[in-house]
Amino acid sequence: MSDLQALILGILQGLTEYLPVSSSGHLAIAAALFGVDGEENLAFTILVHVATVLSTLVVLWREVAWLFKGIFKWQMNDEMRYMLNIIVSMIPVGIVGLFFKDKVEEIFGSGLLIVGIMLLLTASLLAFSYYARPRQKESISLRDAFIIGIAQACAVMPGLSRSGSTIATGLLLGNKKERLAQFSFLMVIPPILGEALLDVVKMMKVGVASVAGDTSVSALAIGFAAAFIAGCFACKWMINIVKRGKLVYFAIYCAIVGIVTILLS
């Protein structure tokens, strides 16, 4: 992987992790165009995912500090309830990660057709949530957190946007736009870090050199920096987009990219 390819893939990961257009789908398309095998560059994949988590912590540091400050009061307060929602939302994706990880990896290697189909599904979810008008709720309940977590678990499919699925599901359940983007971005931090940890264990077993492939140290550093900076920008942008309710434009984009991907797969 060249430095330029690492720069492009890093920017793509940082932007699409938060925008509802599927980071996995866009990375699969870009990898196919560049001739890059993600499995052979596991170290790069780990770094750009960790970079996006760090960008979330930077952008939402006040919310993260609020959560930890409330948790250490050791009482059932708003912060503890919010953290319980995040924990409940992790259950479905945790089950998928523990018991179906190999199946998911097989799907990732099955070509771009599934990516195109999932992009069309993402477009449908975003469009439906834009036009639906359910009764508004004041807060995200444990039930809603679990259902949103199921949406996140389904979004392990390449091309099915994680942020798009979770935010659209939350909107369809009647949760307020102002709360959803923040919750969607915070709830993904533990699963991404957990997946990165599993990949690090795998990397230690087979050796760093074998999973880094032909990726140089400079390419790894460039990809990490690009994903972090793009992630900070996209996280802030996406929160404002959700508040204004402009997700339908991403539905149009996903539909176009999905159709083109299917035609060219």
Side-chain angles (χ1 to χ4, degrees):
M1 182 186 297
S2 68
D3 289 353
L4 179 59
Q5 289 174 335
L7 176 64
I8 295 173
L9 290 174
I11 293 174
L12 198 61
Q13 164 64 26
L15 288 177
T16 57
E17 181 64 42
Y18 299 103
L19 301 181
V21 295
S22 176
S23 61
S24 61
H26 280 72
L27 287 177
I29 295 170
L33 292 174
F34 292 152
V36 175
D37 189 336
E39 190 64 27
E40 293 179 359
N41 292 275
L42 183 59
F44 180 83
T45 302
I46 293 172
L47 280 177
V48 295
H49 277 87
V50 171
T52 53
V53 169
L54 291 177
S55 68
T56 307
L57 295 176
V58 168
V59 174
L60 299 177
W61 70 270
R62 288 186 179 87
E63 289 78 5
V64 174
W66 170 74
L67 280 175
F68 279 100
K69 183 179 179 180
I71 289 172
F72 288 110
K73 290 180 180 178
W74 307 110
Q75 60 185 9
M76 185 55 68
N77 49 29
D78 290 341
E79 297 92 329
M80 184 64 76
R81 292 186 185 91
Y82 199 100
M83 182 58 73
L84 286 175
N85 282 345
I86 292 177
I87 293 172
V88 167
S89 74
M90 291 165 48
I91 295 174
V93 75
I95 294 173
V96 172
L98 287 174
F99 299 105
F100 302 102
K101 192 173 189 295
D102 293 338
K103 295 293 183 180
V104 172
E105 290 177 351
E106 288 179 11
I107 295 173
F108 268 83
S110 61
L112 293 181
L113 178 60
I114 186 66
V115 173
I117 294 172
M118 291 298 106
L119 281 169
L120 290 180
L121 180 55
T122 298
S124 301
L125 278 171
L126 293 173
F128 191 52
S129 68
Y130 177 77
Y131 290 107
R133 293 291 183 269
R135 177 187 293 182
Q136 292 290 294
K137 301 176 182 178
E138 289 301 319
S139 60
I140 299 174
S141 65
L142 285 175
R143 168 184 167 275
D144 287 359
F146 184 74
I147 296 174
I148 294 172
I150 294 175
Q152 178 177 242
C154 293
V156 299
M157 297 288 289
L160 186 56
S161 169
R162 186 204 61 79
S163 62
S165 299
T166 54
I167 292 173
T169 300
L171 290 174
L172 290 171
L173 290 170
N175 292 289
K176 291 185 176 180
K177 296 179 290 186
E178 296 79 5
R179 303 175 184 271
L180 270 174
Q182 174 184 304
F183 181 75
S184 173
F185 297 153
L186 289 175
M187 67 183 278
V188 77
I189 293 176
I192 288 182
L193 289 179
E195 183 180 2
L197 180 61
L198 292 176
D199 288 335
V200 167
V201 172
K202 177 180 179 180
M203 188 167 59
M204 293 175 64
K205 288 181 178 179
V206 301
V208 176
S210 62
V211 296
D214 58 353
T215 307
S216 64
V217 174
S218 64
L220 293 173
I222 290 171
F224 179 89
F228 175 77
I229 295 171
C232 289
F233 169 78
C235 187
K236 290 183 178 180
W237 187 27
M238 186 60 192
I239 290 174
N240 291 327
I241 289 173
V242 174
K243 289 180 179 178
R244 294 196 301 266
K246 302 297 183 181
L247 295 180
V248 68
Y249 299 115
F250 292 101
I252 296 171
Y253 171 82
C254 288
I256 294 172
V257 175
I259 292 171
V260 172
T261 302
I262 291 173
L263 293 176
L264 298 179
S265 64

